[in-house]
Amino acid sequence: MAAFLAVPLKKTYDVDLVKPLRNFIQNTFSSAEPDDYNNALSEFNKLRNLMINKSVDKHESALEVLYRYYDQVVSIESKLPITENQVRVQFKWRDAFDEGGFLAGKRTLAIASGLYEKICMLFNIAALQTQIGAVQNQDSDDGLKTCAKLFQQSSGIFAHMKDIVLSHVQQDPTPDLNPDTLGALSALMLAQAQEAIYRKATSDRMKDAMVAKLAYQCSELYADAMKLMQLHSIKELWPKEWIPCVVMKQAAFHGLAEFYQSNVAKANKSYGEQIARLKHAQELLSAAQSRGGQTFCFRNEQGKVQREMDEAVKDNNFIYHDKVPDVKTLPIIGKAAVAKPLPVPQKFSTNFTDLFEKLVPLAVHDAMTAFENRKAQIVNMEIGRLRESTNLLNGVLTSLNLPASIEDLAGEKVPQSLTEKAQQMQEQGGASYISKLMNELPALLTRNREILDATVAEMDSEEKSDTQLREQFKEKWTRTQSAQLTKPIREEATKYSTILSTATQADAVVREKFDKHKEGIVLLSKPLTELEASLPAGSGGSSLQTSPPVKELRSLMQQVETIKAEREAIESSIKDASFDMVSSFMSALASEGLVNEESISVEELDRVYGPLREQVSDSIHRQENLQARIQNANTDFSNARSSNQSAAAREAKLKELQAAYNMYIELKGNLEEGTKFYNDLTPLLVKLQSRVMDFCFARKTEKDELMQDVQKQIANTKSQPAPPTPTYQGGPGQSAPPAGSAPPPAGAPPGTAPHQNPYPAPGYQQPPAQNYAGYGGAPPPQAAGQPQGWQAPYPQYQPPIAMPGSYNPYNPYMGYPQQPTYGQGYPQQQPPQYPGQQPPAGYGAQPPQGQYPGYPQPGYPQQGYPPPAQQWR
């Protein structure tokens, strides 16, 4: 019984998945509860350790463990990106073919990449499938079915890996992951799957014509595998018995195909053709025996062919006397290509459950961040419009000394409205509270600045070390440059630094406004008796109490209070609006494979905030009419009131106090929310610092390991001769092999070229060189059009920058134009660019001059899922 070849597994090493993944979750998914991921992290780490231990078991239960781990690695790709500049986990894998040849020098490769882990897991899944298939009972139907299924699955996996390996491994891969190696393994496993199907057909006693076609297809597939395995770039990689075994089977199955076709000729009474085919079969099996040596496993078949030939020759000589034709004139045997590489399934394991199902994909998380920024932009804009209009109304009333002027007609007591405002100020802390808030702001800014400076200094130190080592070791220092990895983080730090630098200027503006109105604010903070004594005496005007202008002004003041109350309710509705956007984004991701955040967000925001925007506009429009009526009524009131110098002085003082109260309310609200804003900014900076510290620690560990490897490489270079450079031969116009290239293998027929198949089967014609395009006659797929060792651009995930939420009225005091200007004010992110297009209408439009700046519309990467693959049946 023919033995099957099994691919050895790659060896990996233990890693800590818990700490880096937990740090990323805490820094990115701020709303995630620890219970949502702590157990999952522990189980994920245990699953990888179980995968390492179970890989040595040649049983389908061990294969299921590998399936589960691989599916989990795939599932977290969209949630927890394991890359050099995100979740930094260094996966180290050893070459599966750890013996023989000059390629053994580069045995291990360590990369901080989830894609690299996925590729290595695919290799081990396919390798374990070949090992389980090779030990199946070939005397049973179930064993042969399982064997054929596993070999077809492994062939499909190796073929899939060949297509994607260079996009997943961003460094020169180990020899077992070379696309040439993977292509050869795929072809070999497909040939073995066809062989298992042939064995099943012979045990089922199928018709000789069909068995002959199955056997001939086996020979063709082994010929394909033989050509690929003998490519100069990889032929020294294989275990020593592999190539003799493959070339032996190529000839043997050709011989068996001739044998079964001879039975067909006998049934058709073509006795001469029967003898010719039996002789050819005997020649092929003899050639297989001589080339396979100890791997030859067709002795029973060889003996059967010999007996059949002796009997056929005897019968033809004594009975039939049929002419024996030349074997070259015989009809070609057909092929039955039953074995096919099976596609890689979307999920390997049955009933798979994602350990991190409570975490949303990063595409959804980024969409939520972008949505919150859009929402904050609307909140800032609409609340800003309301408050600006209210401030304008208060300014008009202050300039007219209303309502104090109609409450103080006698000029003897403090107006009731001013008394209420003074009491309100005192209850809220008065001037001392404002001073306290202003004194705290510099400390908050200093704290944030120190965190940010320490973070940047840590990155600078790491980058300086990397640059020095790169200059020292030149091309041997192969890891990704620090500047490339830290670019997104530095951009984020720059935005934060700009905010903090500008905030120091805002402090001066706030203090200037407070100093201007300090006397009035301090006076309103004193007891009522002191306030009353500070007011100049006025002249009597009691006769105007019932005059039409006074009645009109009192009615208008009531309308003013009504508008202010309405605006408080509108502002509360704007702030408290709630949305369920996670469900909408998840549905879009599941149905379309990506999240069109802009379209979904604008539609939902318009649905909720559209009516509220109309209420804001209506309130502002009513205020304009109200202000005109107030000014007209106040003109009539001023004309009807007789005034003198004392009355004018008292009115000026009342206006001053009214303005002081308005400024107190404005500064208090601004400073309180500004303080909250900077307190919210601190944990964001701490998270940034934590990410940088983890990054630098991981880079230091990687640096130490790489330095050891480089030092060993330098030492080996001094003590060992350099290996020959792999070349690709056989393409059209290919030059002769360079001097020093590998000679033909020992025992090859005379005249065999250095890279030619040394074992052409009898009757098998070596194809011309151009038929090897894509194998030996052209660069391998990964290098086509690119220099040797070319690497694809490293994918870098750049999430939207998180910002403190809520309306921020402190922003106007940072000295910006009162309209949205991206990149200024509090932490904001650049909006997406629309080349050749206008910005999207609706909430992304610029508000008119004088309105508060809102948040921009961030961009983010869209991620999708591959289409589902067909399951093997």
Side-chain angles (χ1 to χ4, degrees):
M1 186 62 63
F4 288 116
L5 301 178
V7 180
L9 274 73
K10 294 176 69 67
K11 180 182 178 182
T12 187
Y13 302 87
D14 292 339
V15 296
D16 178 19
L17 294 170
V18 176
K19 182 179 178 181
L21 289 175
R22 179 187 289 123
N23 290 341
F24 181 83
I25 293 173
Q26 292 173 345
N27 293 333
T28 304
F29 300 95
S30 55
S31 60
E33 295 294 333
D35 292 341
D36 293 344
Y37 55 82
N38 279 337
N39 292 336
L41 290 174
S42 177
E43 290 299 320
F44 188 32
N45 206 57
K46 291 178 182 178
L47 183 59
R48 190 177 194 277
N49 293 333
L50 182 62
M51 176 272 296
I52 296 174
N53 296 330
K54 282 288 187 179
S55 296
V56 298
D57 297 340
K58 297 180 181 180
H59 193 272
E60 291 194 62
S61 61
L63 198 56
E64 184 63 28
V65 174
L66 269 65
Y67 287 167
R68 283 175 51 206
Y69 178 70
Y70 173 82
D71 288 341
Q72 187 60 64
V73 170
V74 173
S75 296
I76 67 171
E77 280 183 330
S78 63
K79 303 177 181 181
L80 305 172
I82 301 178
T83 63
E84 285 190 281
N85 60 344
Q86 291 296 312
V87 184
R88 192 175 181 84
V89 180
Q90 195 87 354
F91 294 114
K92 188 174 183 179
W93 288 82
R94 188 180 181 88
D95 191 328
F97 301 97
D98 54 4
E99 284 189 11
F102 60 83
L103 291 173
K106 188 177 181 182
R107 287 291 206 38
T108 60
L109 180 62
I111 307 178
S113 168
L115 296 178
Y116 176 58
E117 176 84 344
K118 187 173 76 170
I119 279 289
C120 294
M121 280 305 305
L122 275 176
F123 186 96
N124 270 12
I125 287 173
L128 188 57
Q129 287 174 340
T130 68
Q131 293 186 6
I132 296 174
V135 298
Q136 295 297 308
N137 182 5
Q138 299 180 35
D139 294 329
S140 69
D141 286 350
D142 290 340
L144 289 172
K145 287 180 181 179
T146 301
C147 185
K149 179 189 72 172
L150 291 174
F151 282 137
Q152 289 179 92
Q153 288 178 334
S154 63
S155 176
I157 292 174
F158 285 129
H160 175 67
M161 290 177 63
K162 176 186 175 183
D163 295 335
I164 66 172
V165 64
L166 291 182
S167 65
H168 283 52
V169 182
Q170 298 300 320
Q171 299 182 20
D172 291 336
T174 48
D176 56 351
L177 297 182
N178 186 304
D180 288 346
T181 304
L182 298 172
L185 290 175
S186 176
L188 176 59
M189 294 307 118
L190 186 61
Q192 295 194 148
Q194 180 78 12
E195 180 181 348
I197 294 171
Y198 160 82
R199 298 284 175 191
K200 177 73 167 54
T202 56
S203 66
D204 291 346
R205 299 185 181 277
M206 293 182 66
K207 292 182 178 181
D208 290 333
M210 176 56 68
V211 175
K213 293 178 180 179
L214 291 172
Y216 194 72
Q217 177 66 9
C218 281
S219 176
E220 290 292 302
L221 291 176
Y222 273 115
D224 292 341
M226 176 179 63
K227 290 181 290 185
L228 295 175
M229 292 174 68
Q230 292 185 109
L231 289 175
H232 183 66
S233 60
I234 59 174
K235 68 178 182 179
E236 300 292 338
L237 175 67
W238 315 109
K240 61 181 180 180
E241 72 276 5
W242 276 34
I243 290 181
C245 180
V246 171
V247 297
M248 176 269 295
K249 286 190 175 183
Q250 183 274 325
F253 278 107
H254 191 176
L256 291 175
E258 295 288 352
F259 169 72
Y260 282 100
Q261 192 65 27
S262 73
N263 292 339
V264 176
K266 179 180 179 181
N268 294 333
K269 299 183 180 181
S270 299
Y271 302 110
E273 178 183 346
Q274 175 193 10
I275 294 173
R277 291 194 182 277
L278 286 171
K279 287 183 177 179
H280 193 202
Q282 184 62 30
E283 292 174 358
L284 290 167
L285 287 171
S286 297
Q289 182 179 15
S290 63
R291 293 166 185 170
Q294 295 181 353
T295 65
F296 184 70
C297 50
F298 293 90
R299 300 187 186 280
N300 292 336
E301 289 85 346
Q302 188 179 30
K304 185 176 182 181
V305 169
Q306 183 65 48
R307 291 191 298 272
E308 289 283 340
M309 185 177 66
D310 293 343
E311 183 178 349
V313 170
K314 178 180 177 182
D315 290 345
N316 190 56
N317 289 338
F318 286 96
I319 303 174
Y320 306 116
H321 304 288
D322 198 4
K323 181 180 179 180
V324 178
D326 191 302
V327 68
K328 296 180 180 179
T329 65
L330 296 177
I332 298 176
I333 303 174
K335 295 183 288 186
V338 179
K340 303 287 184 183
L342 296 179
V344 177
Q346 188 175 12
K347 287 286 186 293
F348 277 100
S349 56
T350 57
N351 302 321
F352 171 74
T353 301
D354 185 6
L355 294 173
F356 301 92
E357 60 182 352
K358 292 185 178 180
L359 297 181
V360 299
L362 277 178
V364 174
H365 176 266
D366 293 342
M368 285 299 303
T369 302
F371 170 79
E372 291 298 332
N373 286 346
R374 292 181 189 273
K375 177 185 173 183
Q377 180 180 7
I378 297 173
V379 170
N380 278 277
M381 185 183 301
E382 299 307 318
I383 294 180
R385 291 173 62 197
L386 283 176
R387 294 192 179 182
E388 185 179 12
S389 297
T390 301
N391 291 339
L392 176 61
L393 180 59
N394 288 336
V396 170
L397 295 180
T398 299
S399 66
L400 301 178
N401 194 27
L402 291 173
S405 61
I406 60 176
E407 296 171 347
D408 187 38
L409 293 174
E412 298 174 352
K413 296 182 179 181
V414 179
Q416 180 63 29
S417 60
L418 189 59
T419 301
E420 293 174 355
K421 291 173 181 177
Q423 291 176 349
Q424 181 183 354
M425 276 186 56
Q426 293 169 18
E427 291 173 357
Q428 294 178 355
S432 61
Y433 181 62
I434 292 292
S435 299
K436 174 178 173 294
L437 291 177
M438 287 194 301
N439 292 333
E440 289 176 349
L441 276 181
L444 295 177
L445 295 176
T446 300
R447 178 183 63 188
N448 289 331
R449 171 60 70 184
E450 290 175 349
I451 296 173
L452 186 60
D453 289 346
T455 302
V456 174
E458 193 71 24
M459 286 191 290
D460 292 341
S461 176
E462 193 281 328
E463 182 173 342
K464 180 179 179 181
S465 173
D466 180 70
T467 302
Q468 291 175 345
L469 291 171
R470 192 175 304 279
E471 293 175 352
Q472 177 181 353
F473 293 110
K474 307 297 182 184
E475 68 279 355
K476 293 183 177 63
W477 199 251
T478 57
R479 69 173 185 170
T480 308
Q481 295 185 10
S482 296
Q484 180 180 348
L485 296 177
T486 59
K487 182 179 178 182
I489 303 178
R490 288 189 179 275
E491 290 176 353
E492 187 175 349
T494 300
K495 291 181 183 292
Y496 288 140
S497 179
T498 301
I499 295 161
L500 295 177
S501 298
T502 310
T504 58
Q505 303 173 13
D507 287 339
V509 177
V510 171
R511 182 164 295 279
E512 180 182 353
K513 287 180 174 287
F514 176 70
D515 292 341
K516 181 178 179 181
H517 296 273
K518 182 176 181 180
E519 182 180 349
I521 293 175
V522 171
L523 187 57
L524 288 173
S525 303
K526 293 181 177 180
L528 183 59
T529 54
E530 295 187 33
L531 176 60
E532 184 175 350
S534 67
L535 295 176
S539 61
S542 302
S543 60
L544 296 177
Q545 289 285 356
T546 57
S547 65
V550 173
K551 290 182 179 181
E552 176 70 12
L553 286 172
R554 286 173 177 165
S555 174
L556 294 173
M557 292 303 101
Q558 292 178 356
Q559 295 181 40
V560 167
E561 295 302 320
T562 300
I563 284 182
K564 290 182 178 180
E566 290 175 353
R567 289 180 177 176
E568 290 180 1
I570 295 173
E571 182 174 326
S572 177
S573 298
I574 292 174
K575 288 181 177 180
D576 297 339
S578 59
F579 301 84
D580 182 19
M581 298 306 298
V582 173
S583 300
S584 301
F585 291 145
M586 289 292 289
S587 299
L589 185 61
S591 61
E592 302 176 14
L594 52 84
V595 179
N596 188 346
E597 179 274 330
E598 181 182 351
S599 175
I600 298 173
S601 297
V602 169
E603 179 180 355
E604 186 66 13
L605 289 169
D606 186 62
R607 182 185 67 82
V608 174
Y609 283 121
L612 294 174
R613 285 170 61 93
E614 293 178 0
Q615 293 181 34
V616 172
S617 298
D618 177 68
S619 177
I620 294 173
H621 178 68
R622 287 191 291 118
Q623 175 182 315
E624 294 172 355
N625 295 333
L626 183 60
Q627 286 177 183
R629 293 173 58 192
I630 290 173
Q631 289 174 341
N632 291 336
N634 187 75
T635 300
D636 295 339
F637 169 68
S638 298
N639 293 335
R641 183 177 60 177
S642 59
S643 60
N644 51 36
Q645 285 190 341
S646 61
R650 183 179 179 86
E651 184 171 348
K653 189 65 175 179
L654 290 174
K655 290 181 180 180
E656 178 186 334
L657 294 175
Q658 179 69 27
Y661 169 79
N662 291 338
M663 183 53 62
Y664 173 84
I665 296 299
E666 181 179 336
L667 290 179
K668 174 180 175 295
N670 292 343
L671 291 172
E672 284 178 343
E673 296 194 34
T675 299
K676 179 182 182 299
F677 193 93
Y678 282 101
N679 282 328
D680 292 343
L681 181 61
T682 300
L684 298 179
L685 294 176
V686 170
K687 288 181 179 180
L688 177 65
Q689 185 182 39
S690 176
R691 286 166 49 198
V692 170
M693 296 298 290
D694 291 341
F695 168 81
C696 293
F697 178 78
R699 290 281 285 183
K700 181 180 182 302
T701 303
E702 181 188 41
K703 178 186 71 174
D704 295 340
E705 294 179 355
L706 184 56
M707 286 189 66
Q708 293 178 2
D709 294 340
V710 170
Q711 291 169 354
K712 290 180 181 178
Q713 182 180 354
I714 294 174
N716 292 337
T717 302
K718 294 179 179 179
S719 59
Q720 298 179 1
T725 303
T727 58
Y728 297 90
Q729 302 288 336
Q734 181 71 41
S735 60
S741 60
T752 302
H755 308 295
Q756 180 183 351
N757 172 20
Y759 303 110
Y764 176 78
Q765 184 176 0
Q766 186 79 13
Q770 57 265 28
N771 287 349
Y772 291 93
Y775 301 108
Q782 74 274 17
Q786 298 292 344
Q788 183 97 6
W790 170 79
Q791 297 181 11
Y794 196 86
Q796 293 192 356
Y797 164 72
Q798 298 189 24
I801 298 177
M803 301 301 152
S806 78
Y807 170 72
N808 175 28
Y810 192 57
N811 205 23
Y813 299 130
M814 290 192 173
Y816 305 132
Q818 294 303 299
Q819 63 181 21
T821 51
Y822 296 111
Q824 296 179 335
Y826 286 112
Q828 301 181 11
Q829 184 179 354
Q830 285 292 88
Q833 301 298 319
Y834 303 88
Q837 301 180 16
Q838 295 295 328
Y843 293 119
Q846 300 286 349
Q849 182 72 20
Q851 293 179 1
Y852 284 71
Y855 286 78
Q857 303 168 6
Y860 51 89
Q862 298 288 349
Q863 301 184 16
Y865 294 108
Q870 181 180 357
Q871 297 282 350
W872 181 85
R873 292 181 177 85

